[in-house]
Amino acid sequence: MANFLVVKILENSGPCLPSTFVYRDIEIRPPKADTDKERALIENSIKENNQDLDIALNARICCIVRANNINDAVSIADDKFTELLDLKSREYTMSNLALSNCGFVKNLETSKIELLTRKKSYDFGNVFIRQPSIVQTCNQTQYVLLHDNELTERYKKSLHWSRHSKHEKNLHLKVIFDWFAVEALLKEGQNDNVAPYIRWFLGFPNGKSCQYLDGGIKDKLESHDKYAITGKRLSDALEQIRILRNDSIHHGSRKIDYTPQQLCFYSQVMLMGTARCQDAVLRAISLKLNTLQEFKDYISCIFEQKEHLISDIHGTVIHLLAEENAT
């Protein structure tokens, strides 16, 4: 086995970094951090594969891995890169965080260098990241990468499916991928239904844990004149999405089996529901909770700690899911 340096350039419309960031054993750096030789290697890889990548803007991602050969090294590095990009996709939601297949691999034992091949790109927009302080602080991404427990593993798997949804143009598949993301986050047994948790974090608490909810918060939630009817509409939609998920997997249901209006509404529900469930788990992780059972035991406390809780549910969730806006 040998040590290999794997360097890739990210796809277009990704984050434009002001300086180098290090996450565990992975480095993401701006173009200005290239040496002249590294820049020439990346340019040659892009040209050989007839790719249209912006070498002056696109970030580079790299790490050193130990492997038997170059192909294995790239595979190992891609797994590491993908995990980090899944996590960073929560920060740069309007940006494309995808690997190209352009770059190079260097065998650090023999100094042999091999160029890489291309990969399909996506249509997103650039996000420019402001200059941080000189010392890189330990942010949420760092914390999740450095702490291995059930919740952090579930969170990372959930973000993986969310990033698939983000890149998917087929609404039917987007809904399924977002449902998978919530299942990866919160599902325990084969027959576990994640819909009640989506309801919780969209602002419609249910089940026995409601008894621990602050009465003042509950009164404020229910004060909106469309709260009850939106809650019923949400419950119906989540049950329909659960059936869509099962029918698509077990019975081959297709996009054309649903109306565009249905799929648009389901996608809206899952987009908001998935993001808020992930935010809730991230809050639990920051509170030093480690297991899914602990998360469920403290679900009311986690729910109450969301910033701007009432305004988010009244001004965003109910506004978007109220019947006249969702037909």
Side-chain angles (χ1 to χ4, degrees):
M1 297 182 76
N3 290 315
F4 293 88
L5 170 66
V6 181
V7 179
K8 287 193 171 187
I9 182 171
L10 296 186
E11 289 281 5
N12 290 337
S13 303
C16 301
L17 305 176
S19 58
T20 298
F21 293 83
V22 178
Y23 298 96
R24 204 166 55 192
D25 56 346
I26 304 169
E27 181 179 278
I28 302 184
R29 64 192 192 207
K32 66 182 181 182
D34 288 341
T35 65
D36 291 342
K37 184 174 182 180
E38 287 173 334
R39 186 180 182 89
L41 288 168
I42 294 170
E43 285 180 336
N44 289 337
S45 177
I46 292 171
K47 288 176 183 176
E48 283 195 13
N49 293 288
N50 196 28
Q51 283 280 71
D52 183 21
L53 297 175
D54 194 331
I55 196 167
L57 283 179
N58 295 9
R60 284 64 158 148
I61 187 167
C62 60
C63 69
I64 295 174
V65 299
R66 191 158 180 81
N68 290 317
N69 53 59
I70 285 179
N71 288 337
D72 288 349
V74 173
S75 178
I76 294 169
D78 279 353
D79 288 341
K80 289 175 173 285
F81 296 156
T82 297
E83 181 181 66
L84 178 60
L85 294 178
D86 287 341
L87 289 168
K88 299 303 289 182
S89 67
R90 290 284 289 152
E91 296 179 42
Y92 311 142
T93 56
M94 298 302 292
S95 180
N96 180 31
L97 279 166
L99 290 170
S100 76
N101 264 9
C102 291
F104 62 90
V105 181
K106 181 177 182 179
N107 185 322
L108 298 179
E109 315 291 335
T110 64
S111 296
K112 179 183 177 181
I113 295 174
E114 185 169 317
L115 301 182
L116 298 177
T117 55
R118 68 176 182 173
K119 187 180 178 181
K120 181 182 176 182
S121 62
Y122 297 92
D123 184 17
F124 284 82
N126 288 103
V127 171
F128 291 83
I129 312 304
R130 64 186 176 88
Q131 179 69 44
S133 59
I134 295 175
V135 179
Q136 185 178 334
T137 57
C138 184
N139 57 22
Q140 289 177 332
T141 300
Q142 295 278 23
Y143 187 89
V144 171
L145 285 171
L146 294 172
H147 290 77
D148 291 329
N149 57 56
E150 183 185 1
L151 282 184
T152 57
E153 286 304 306
R154 284 179 173 274
Y155 181 71
K156 288 185 286 186
K157 289 177 183 178
S158 178
L159 291 183
H160 177 76
W161 284 107
S162 290
R163 198 153 68 94
H164 275 296
S165 171
K166 179 181 176 182
H167 293 165
E168 180 56 60
K169 292 180 171 60
N170 183 319
L171 279 180
H172 180 232
L173 291 178
K174 284 179 76 73
V175 171
I176 293 172
F177 290 159
D178 278 330
W179 190 271
F180 285 171
V182 180
E183 287 187 332
L185 199 64
L186 299 171
K187 186 173 181 177
E188 285 186 287
Q190 183 67 29
N191 298 319
D192 207 10
N193 184 4
V194 298
Y197 302 108
I198 300 174
R199 285 196 62 199
W200 256 96
F201 296 108
L202 282 176
F204 299 86
N206 54 99
K208 294 180 180 179
S209 295
C210 280
Q211 63 183 308
Y212 303 112
L213 195 62
D214 184 286
I217 289 179
K218 199 167 187 302
D219 290 341
K220 289 178 182 178
L221 287 172
E222 294 174 351
S223 66
H224 195 287
D225 59 352
K226 293 180 181 176
Y227 183 82
I229 191 171
T230 305
K232 176 64 167 61
R233 182 173 176 79
L234 176 61
S235 294
D236 293 343
L238 289 172
E239 177 59 16
Q240 291 160 8
I241 295 169
R242 187 189 67 82
I243 293 171
L244 178 152
R245 179 260 193 218
N246 290 340
D247 284 350
S248 299
I249 293 172
H250 301 299
H251 306 296
S253 291
R254 305 154 300 166
K255 179 181 178 180
I256 60 173
D257 295 323
Y258 306 90
T259 67
Q261 292 80 9
Q262 284 177 310
L263 291 176
C264 284
F265 182 47
Y266 296 163
S267 181
Q268 183 78 274
V269 169
M270 291 309 303
L271 181 66
M272 292 193 296
T274 303
R276 282 160 176 76
C277 286
Q278 289 168 341
D279 284 341
V281 168
L282 192 56
R283 287 199 299 279
I285 291 169
S286 71
L287 292 170
K288 307 296 192 296
L289 301 184
N290 296 318
T291 68
L292 181 58
Q293 188 56 55
E294 289 176 335
F295 174 83
K296 292 180 178 181
D297 289 343
Y298 292 96
I299 191 170
S300 59
C301 297
I302 296 166
F303 174 74
E304 291 172 354
Q305 289 193 7
K306 177 177 172 59
E307 292 185 3
H308 313 298
L309 174 65
I310 305 301
S311 61
D312 176 56
I313 293 166
H314 286 180
T316 303
V317 177
I318 293 179
H319 173 71
L320 291 174
L321 300 185
E323 187 166 0
E324 62 264 33
N325 295 316
T327 55

